[in-house]
Amino acid sequence: MISGVRMVLLGRQGAGKGTQCVRLARHYVVPHISTGDMLRAAVKRGTELGRRAKAIMDAGDLVPDELIVRVVDERLHQGGTTRRGYVLDGFPRTVAQAEALAEITAAQPLHVVVDLEVPTEVVVERIASRRTCADCGAIYSTAAPPKYGWHCDNCGGEVIQRDDDTEEAILHRLDLYERETAPLIAWYAERGLAVEVDGIGTADEVSTRLYAVVDERVAAASTPG
Ligand code: ADP
């Protein structure tokens, strides 16, 4: 097994990014950095950031680039993360954020940007049945609930439907994804970093595909010449 990777996972809401990022982070022994989870934690703690982000998130809009870039910049500089590796989930979401990330990581650039591809029709259905742990962000669904009532298997937290998983907010987020985030795939492809992975199948099948792609990219980066 290869340990250490610097990667971004892109994909529509409901493509399975959250689930796969947790697995990737364990597999490669690097932190899973989810901007959505960080923002939800800030809302819960009632910090200045949380107060600024709450209404924007509930409407399904994007928080301003400058705000989120500052949060990610700080996190990536904790404990040598830029060097040791990470799985970024939910960031970057705009070309301006991708440019900022390229600057932050200039000394140790990304190994790979994976686009987890699941068609829109499939994700709308998945999000409607999605349930999330309010404490640790673990993801369940009405078809695969936690073992004991609606309490998280990992931490015992309450498992609920997210405030922004209403149909209206979901459709708005998917629309924003097509307009703001999908162009990033072309942006990273031009830089030789983008790889598409099919996100249809069981979670294990998708993980196996992801590990194969990431292993190949990390190995290529560590081969001289
Ligand atoms: P989803 O992928 O289902 O939209 P996330 O948990 O990634 O959910 O994000 C939830 C919300 O947090 C977004 O709708 C947005 O308001 C905000 N957010 C998260 N990451 C970013 C980002 N990189 N830029 C701007 N807003 C963000």
Side-chain angles (χ1 to χ4, degrees):
M1 187 200 69
I2 299 177
S3 93
V5 62
R6 300 184 293 273
M7 70 174 290
V8 168
L9 194 60
L10 297 176
R12 289 190 181 84
Q13 286 71 13
K17 262 184 314 188
T19 304
Q20 294 299 334
C21 281
V22 169
R23 290 166 170 235
L24 284 160
R26 273 198 205 127
H27 189 86
Y28 293 102
V29 203
V30 292
H32 166 209
I33 302 179
S34 157
T35 45
D37 286 351
M38 287 165 88
L39 290 170
R40 279 185 288 277
V43 169
K44 211 168 168 201
R45 284 199 308 273
T47 63
E48 160 77 22
L49 169 70
R51 280 196 299 275
R52 287 184 66 183
K54 167 81 177 148
I56 301 175
M57 292 172 72
D58 283 353
D61 283 322
L62 294 180
V63 306
D65 286 338
E66 128 276 333
L67 197 68
I68 198 75
V69 165
R70 195 155 11 105
V71 170
V72 172
D73 189 9
E74 251 172 48
R75 176 62 189 85
L76 285 179
H77 284 102
Q78 277 166 20
T81 305
T82 42
R83 182 173 37 81
R84 293 152 63 118
Y86 45 84
V87 179
L88 267 176
D89 170 8
F91 184 95
R93 253 183 167 81
T94 62
V95 170
Q97 291 180 13
E99 283 166 350
L101 180 64
E103 250 174 62
I104 296 168
T105 61
Q108 267 110 9
L110 290 168
H111 290 113
V112 65
V113 174
V114 176
D115 168 26
L116 191 59
E117 178 51 33
V118 176
T120 308
E121 317 79 80
V122 179
V123 300
V124 171
E125 231 179 73
R126 283 192 189 174
I127 307 175
S129 65
R130 173 161 78 183
R131 299 294 181 271
T132 311
C133 172
D135 288 340
C136 76
I139 295 157
Y140 300 90
S141 77
T142 48
K147 289 197 188 73
Y148 307 106
W150 287 97
H151 293 288
C152 179
D153 293 342
N154 300 333
C155 75
E158 201 189 347
V159 175
I160 53 165
Q161 184 162 32
R162 270 168 45 179
D163 287 347
D164 61 348
D165 275 353
T166 62
E167 194 179 334
E168 197 188 348
I170 292 167
L171 292 176
H172 183 55
R173 299 208 312 279
L174 283 167
D175 178 51
L176 269 183
Y177 182 84
E178 300 307 329
R179 279 191 286 135
E180 302 272 4
T181 309
L184 275 185
I185 295 163
W187 193 89
Y188 278 120
E190 278 165 28
R191 287 154 184 81
L193 282 169
V195 183
E196 183 178 305
V197 168
D198 178 6
I200 298 279
T202 65
D204 284 347
E205 283 163 359
V206 175
S207 299
T208 304
R209 285 176 211 144
L210 286 167
Y211 299 155
V213 161
V214 173
D215 282 354
E216 192 189 306
R217 288 305 181 109
V218 174
S222 57
T223 312

